[in-house]
Amino acid sequence: MVDDTAALLTYTDGDNITKSVKFVGAMPIDVEVNNINKEHFFSSGNAPLNHFAPGSITAVSCIGNFRQIASNPSTELPCTYILDNALITDNRITAEYDSLYSDNSGDMDFTVSYISTENIIRAFRNGEIIYKDVRKAPITFKVDCIKDSCPDGYLKCESDNYPGYCCISCSELKSTIANITASVRNK
């Protein structure tokens, strides 16, 4: 059966791990790869700040306040007070809210910008995300139209694993056969 509306997304990450994903009935698809360079995290003010980012931190900002409850009267300070006393070491930010008091409280929302060591790959159909994955940077990819379940240049073979077949690259198979032939001739 010919499936003219299927696509095969094949991508390789920075660890040289290759993954293939088939999209049936999803053509055409758009694929993009981006750095992950910003994240948000929430913190209550009752514990030291200890946060790791997946890359070298370049900037941190925050919104919110924390309260030194044990002080008399209690003192409310902006979360920027924490950042003024924070230590940023490559991909880690640490800070004591106030080491004099163990019962601080408050709600703070932090935004961390960093130089990414990971990429995110997304596939879209009609502007909606139909697939995403996060892998070590850099990610390279290609998209093939699939006919008879495998793209041009691939051989369809039966398999015990889902979906019941696999696609083998004809050029890789040809190279393997040539290497085996040469090895046998040399013996």
Side-chain angles (χ1 to χ4, degrees):
M1 175 180 161
V2 176
D3 184 359
D4 290 330
T5 62
L8 182 67
L9 168 64
T10 304
Y11 58 99
T12 304
D13 67 17
D15 286 327
N16 212 25
I17 297 171
T18 300
K19 184 171 181 179
S20 295
V21 182
K22 181 181 176 185
F23 301 96
V24 177
M27 286 297 286
I29 64 170
D30 295 308
V31 179
E32 67 179 32
V33 174
N34 300 105
N35 285 331
I36 301 172
N37 56 13
K38 191 172 283 188
E39 66 180 352
H40 302 275
F41 69 93
F42 176 81
S43 178
S44 63
N46 61 3
L49 187 63
N50 189 1
H51 181 75
F52 288 88
S56 298
I57 296 174
T58 58
V60 183
S61 63
C62 62
I63 299 171
N65 295 295
F66 80 100
R67 185 175 291 113
Q68 298 171 323
I69 296 173
S71 60
N72 192 3
S74 64
T75 303
E76 192 156 304
L77 296 167
C79 61
T80 51
Y81 171 89
I82 297 168
L83 294 183
D84 288 342
N85 298 293
L87 177 64
I88 297 174
T89 310
D90 192 37
N91 68 336
R92 181 180 182 193
I93 178 171
T94 56
E96 290 284 342
Y97 290 160
D98 192 319
S99 58
L100 296 177
Y101 306 113
S102 60
D103 55 356
N104 298 324
S105 70
D107 296 335
M108 290 155 281
D109 192 16
F110 291 85
T111 301
V112 179
S113 300
Y114 52 89
I115 299 170
S116 179
T117 56
E118 294 182 323
N119 284 161
I120 184 166
I121 183 168
R122 296 181 184 101
F124 298 87
R125 181 173 188 265
N126 297 329
E128 292 185 27
I129 293 178
I130 57 174
Y131 179 80
K132 70 179 178 178
D133 192 9
V134 176
R135 297 290 180 115
K136 183 175 177 182
I139 293 177
T140 57
F141 72 91
K142 69 176 184 170
V143 178
D144 293 301
C145 293
I146 298 176
K147 295 179 182 157
D148 194 28
S149 304
C150 289
D152 292 340
Y154 285 79
L155 178 66
K156 181 179 176 181
C157 297
E158 289 184 16
S159 171
D160 292 336
N161 298 325
Y162 178 82
Y165 65 89
C166 63
C167 298
I168 298 174
S169 168
C170 294
S171 61
E172 289 178 18
L173 184 59
K174 180 181 174 182
S175 176
T176 301
I177 291 171
N179 289 340
I180 291 169
T181 303
S183 177
V184 169
R185 285 185 182 155
N186 291 333
K187 289 191 179 207

